[in-house]
Amino acid sequence: MTVKKELGIQEKIAAVAAGAIIISALMYWGYQFVGMLEFLEMAYE
Amino acid sequence: MELLPFFEWAETTFLGYIGKTYGGVYATFGQSLHLMALAVLGGSVLVADLRLLNVIMKDVPSEIVTEQAHKWFRIALVMIISTGIFMAAAVAQRMYHNDFFWAKMSALLVGIIFVFAIKRPLLKGSHADLNPIVIKMVASASILVWFSVAATGRWIGFSG
């Protein structure tokens, strides 16, 4: 029998904060990466 | 709140004067110590978070690894902030107008709050009692936020 463990309040807060940081960081660096690609494309032309 | 007067004042302080006038002092006490501290901080973050992700040191309990790494993290953070203030004071007005400086400060603030308000309290007890997915999310977020601090910090030197 498997016992499904519920997340504690501290774990929930940590999960939300970590998720927000991961999404924000990926969006920020994705945006910078797209900018870099556009720059390289312009420089190549 | 207008912060420019604060940055203008910072350049006129003793730290700003020393950093601006003596390039050698700026390079040795500022940049080299700052980069060494960044290396220690990055090392402690990677060791702790890669252990939490079950990538390295699997034979050592993660509680011990994170506890030991955190001691070095604190030392490196104090060094980074003190040398960072010295370096920024010398070029304060240029920093004020640099987007990456503000990106770095934001990432640093988020990183400090995340470590001391969320990561540390969560990992204080036994890690076996915690949900493994949450542990991995926290470790990934920690790597990403400190990578952002380091990368935007280096970017300051190549922009504006």
Side-chain angles (χ1 to χ4, degrees), chain B residues 98-113:
Chain B
N98 190 308
D99 289 344
F100 291 105
F101 172 76
W102 293 108
K104 178 180 176 166
M105 290 305 110
S106 312
L108 182 66
L109 188 67
V110 170
I112 291 172
I113 293 170

Side-chain angles (χ1 to χ4, degrees), chain B residues 50-117:
Chain B
L50 289 178
R51 175 64 191 90
L52 290 172
L53 288 168
N54 257 331
V55 177
I56 58 166
M57 298 165 80
K58 290 178 197 171
D59 51 341
V60 185
S62 57
E63 289 89 344
I64 293 174
V65 177
T66 48
E67 197 58 42
Q68 292 292 321
H70 188 69
K71 284 179 192 162
W72 287 102
F73 173 87
R74 277 195 309 236
I75 294 169
L77 188 65
V78 170
M79 252 178 90
I80 276 185
I81 291 173
S82 40
T83 53
I85 289 171
F86 172 63
M87 284 168 65
V91 285
Q93 289 189 62
R94 226 175 72 198
M95 289 299 106
Y96 178 81
H97 296 288
N98 190 308
D99 289 344
F100 291 105
F101 172 76
W102 293 108
K104 178 180 176 166
M105 290 305 110
S106 312
L108 182 66
L109 188 67
V110 170
I112 291 172
I113 293 170
F114 183 67
V115 166
F116 291 101

Side-chain angles (χ1 to χ4, degrees), chain B residues 16-29:
Chain B
Y17 171 74
I18 292 282
K20 223 184 326 203
T21 315
Y22 302 101
V25 178
Y26 183 82
T28 50
F29 287 100

Side-chain angles (χ1 to χ4, degrees), chain B residues 26-44:
Chain B
Y26 183 82
T28 50
F29 287 100
Q31 285 186 318
S32 53
L33 285 179
H34 194 70
L35 288 177
M36 279 168 70
L38 191 64
V40 175
L41 187 133
S44 66

Side-chain angles (χ1 to χ4, degrees), chain B residues 119-153:
Chain B
K119 192 179 167 196
R120 278 296 290 166
L122 181 78
L123 299 174
K124 254 184 182 167
S126 166
H127 296 180
D129 298 336
L130 300 170
N131 186 307
I133 295 170
V134 175
I135 291 183
K136 284 176 175 56
M137 278 179 77
V138 166
S140 307
S142 170
I143 289 176
L144 272 172
V145 79
W146 293 107
F147 164 79
S148 300
V149 173
T152 48

Side-chain angles (χ1 to χ4, degrees), chain A residues 11-43:
Chain A
E11 282 176 290
K12 280 180 188 163
I13 293 170
V16 170
I21 286 175
I22 291 168
I23 291 168
S24 308
L26 290 178
M27 279 174 69
Y28 179 76
W29 289 111
Y31 173 75
Q32 297 295 348
F33 186 69
V34 169
M36 193 182 76
L37 286 183
E38 280 171 0
F39 172 78
L40 286 176
E41 203 182 315
M42 220 167 61

